[in-house]
Amino acid sequence: MTLTEEILTIGLCAVATMLTRFLPFLVFRADKPTPKYIRYLGKALPAAIFGMLVVYCLKNVDVTAGTHGLPELISVVRVAGLHLWKRNMLLSIGGGTVCYMLLMQCVF
Amino acid sequence: MSVKGKREESEKRKHVIKRSFLTAFPKTIPIMTGFLFLGMSYGLYMKVSGFFFVYPLCMSMVIFGGSLEFVAVTMLLGSFAPLQTFVMALMIQARHLFYGITLLEKYKGTGWKKPYLIFGMCDESFSINCSTEVPEGADTGWFYFFVTLLNQFYWVAGATLGGILGSFLTFNTEGLDFVMTAMFVVIFLEQWLKEKKHYTALIGVLASAVCLLVFGADSFLIPTMACILCLLTVFRKPIEKAGGLS
């Protein structure tokens, strides 16, 4: 990617973000109810999108070759386990990442 | 107004601003630890991906959205795909639409601070500004302003520090990129636990997995997002009936 393409990519992210932040203030009025479908999407989208992002992070894992995705699987289970145990975001993320780093550097 | 009256007025104003800051700051302390940690991880992740600290500095200032900033690193490393970048950014940030709708009333009458309050809106500032009763003697507009500003400051500071400190790291950073996966797994889990039936979470994972198999790693995002929107629309009734959407 050239520098111009990098700036455009970052700019597009910023513009899209600002669109989602400013649009409601430009379109909706405080005294009118928001359309029900929009409200529904607001509640239903986040879980689906974060599910997609988890898959996105793991998109290059090849289960048929190399480490067969074992370090990823072990570390994801570790993150989930830590999180269900303590519900502490920093601990879960930190613990899972260190686990993955150790697996990649020392085991696989 | 007399000179004395003006001075009293300005003293009073200063006092209100100070009170607003002193009310806002303690509320943001829990966010500070989280943002410094995640921000530094992000800056570090950018550094090990080959971007020097000016990138996380600029990106955390103009985008100011953790999830998207992490994803943007992957996009910067790939080939230039403007449409995919834009749609992806819209979908990841879509939740702000709903924060905005909730804050319409609250941000009314905040004057010149309003554009910044909207610009700097994030999950954490939203939850503080939505849930706090601003006490007597402080001004709501200034309170919202300081909450938003402090939170963005923590994030930008963390990201920049991570980017700078990354240059001095002497240990092997292989595998550090897993921090992004770990973050999304945690957020996903939080969303999962909120739902009684997990329909929307399952739709997200299954649609992505199927599209990944069909379209391949480089072009599965747009079809996935289209599938998610279709499925959520088609199955709206059962999903709403299952309840637990917060």
Side-chain angles (χ1 to χ4, degrees):
Chain A
M1 214 180 258
T2 63
L3 182 64
T4 318
E5 287 174 342
E6 285 181 356
I7 292 171
L8 278 172
T9 300
I10 296 170
L12 281 168
C13 289
V15 169
T17 304
M18 288 315 140
L19 212 59
T20 62
R21 285 181 178 144
F22 280 91
L23 207 59
F25 291 88
L26 303 173
V27 173
F28 297 113
R29 308 215 152 266
D31 45 15
K32 277 199 185 145
T34 317
K36 275 196 180 130
Y37 177 65
I38 302 284
R39 280 218 313 261
Y40 160 72
L41 275 187
K43 291 172 188 165
L45 259 184
I49 291 297
F50 283 108
M52 176 185 84
L53 288 175
V54 171
V55 175
Y56 177 74
C57 287
L58 299 169
K59 71 184 161 85
N60 291 318
V61 174
D62 188 350
V63 288
T64 59
T67 58
H68 302 283
L70 272 179
E72 285 80 9
L73 181 70
I74 295 168
S75 309
V76 166
V77 169
R78 175 143 196 125
V79 172
L82 275 173
H83 198 66
L84 291 174
W85 179 41
K86 290 282 187 192
R87 284 301 273 280
N88 178 332
M89 195 173 187
L90 304 189
L91 178 75
S92 319
I93 296 175
T97 307
V98 169
C99 165
Y100 184 75
M101 289 172 76
L102 290 176
L103 285 174
M104 290 306 279
Q105 293 174 19
C106 309
V107 184
F108 289 94
Chain B
M1 203 185 282
S2 68
V3 176
K4 198 180 162 220
K6 259 188 190 160
R7 195 189 295 148
E8 265 173 18
E9 193 65 19
S10 118
E11 280 297 313
K12 208 178 139 200
R13 209 175 117 84
K14 262 188 207 159
H15 187 74
V16 166
I17 296 174
K18 202 176 141 197
R19 268 301 293 269
S20 309
F21 180 82
L22 292 176
T23 314
F25 178 60
K27 296 266 171 201
T28 66
I29 291 177
I31 317 294
M32 176 162 63
T33 33
F35 271 21
L36 284 177
F37 173 84
L38 272 181
M40 281 179 77
S41 314
Y42 163 65
L44 208 59
Y45 173 51
M46 282 222 87
K47 176 68 200 153
V48 300
S49 307
F51 299 98
F52 77 122
F53 77 93
V54 174
Y55 281 84
L57 170 66
C58 293
M59 287 165 72
S60 57
M61 283 215 293
V62 300
I63 304 174
F64 187 43
S67 306
L68 177 60
E69 284 169 45
F70 270 101
V71 171
V73 182
T74 322
M75 294 185 162
L76 287 171
L77 290 172
S79 51
F80 185 53
L83 180 67
Q84 179 180 295
T85 304
F86 189 69
V87 178
M88 182 84 167
L90 278 181
M91 293 291 273
I92 295 178
Q93 304 288 45
R95 63 186 190 288
H96 290 120
L97 290 170
F98 308 100
Y99 296 165
I101 292 168
T102 316
L103 291 170
L104 280 175
E105 190 72 45
K106 287 197 172 258
Y107 283 2
K108 237 185 201 171
T110 46
W112 60 267
K113 298 179 210 78
K114 194 172 173 183
Y116 177 68
L117 292 179
I118 300 172
F119 169 85
M121 186 193 296
C122 65
D123 311 80
E124 290 72 11
S125 301
F126 168 76
S127 57
I128 295 178
N129 287 347
C130 249
S131 59
T132 311
E133 284 293 325
V134 181
E136 196 81 16
D139 172 73
T140 42
W142 279 106
F143 173 82
Y144 297 153
F145 178 77
F146 285 127
V147 167
T148 309
L149 187 70
L150 283 167
N151 283 343
Q152 186 171 20
F153 172 74
Y154 304 144
W155 178 256
V156 174
T160 311
L161 266 177
I164 294 172
L165 293 178
S167 320
F168 301 104
L169 285 185
T170 45
F171 66 86
N172 184 354
T173 55
E174 191 199 348
L176 192 87
D177 53 336
F178 192 78
V179 69
M180 172 158 94
T181 315
M183 182 180 80
F184 287 139
V185 168
V186 168
I187 301 176
F188 176 69
L189 208 57
E190 283 290 334
Q191 296 286 344
W192 176 277
L193 293 171
K194 267 193 211 164
E195 273 189 300
K196 282 189 194 120
K197 294 275 192 184
H198 315 300
Y199 289 147
T200 64
L202 286 172
I203 284 177
V205 173
L206 292 178
S208 319
V210 171
C211 289
L212 178 61
L213 288 176
V214 175
F215 297 95
D218 294 325
S219 46
F220 80 109
L221 280 177
I222 290 182
T224 302
M225 291 182 280
C227 279
I228 288 176
L229 276 181
C230 286
L231 289 169
L232 288 181
T233 307
V234 171
F235 294 109
R236 182 175 164 190
K237 280 235 168 79
I239 291 171
E240 283 189 318
K241 220 174 148 193
L245 293 178
S246 59

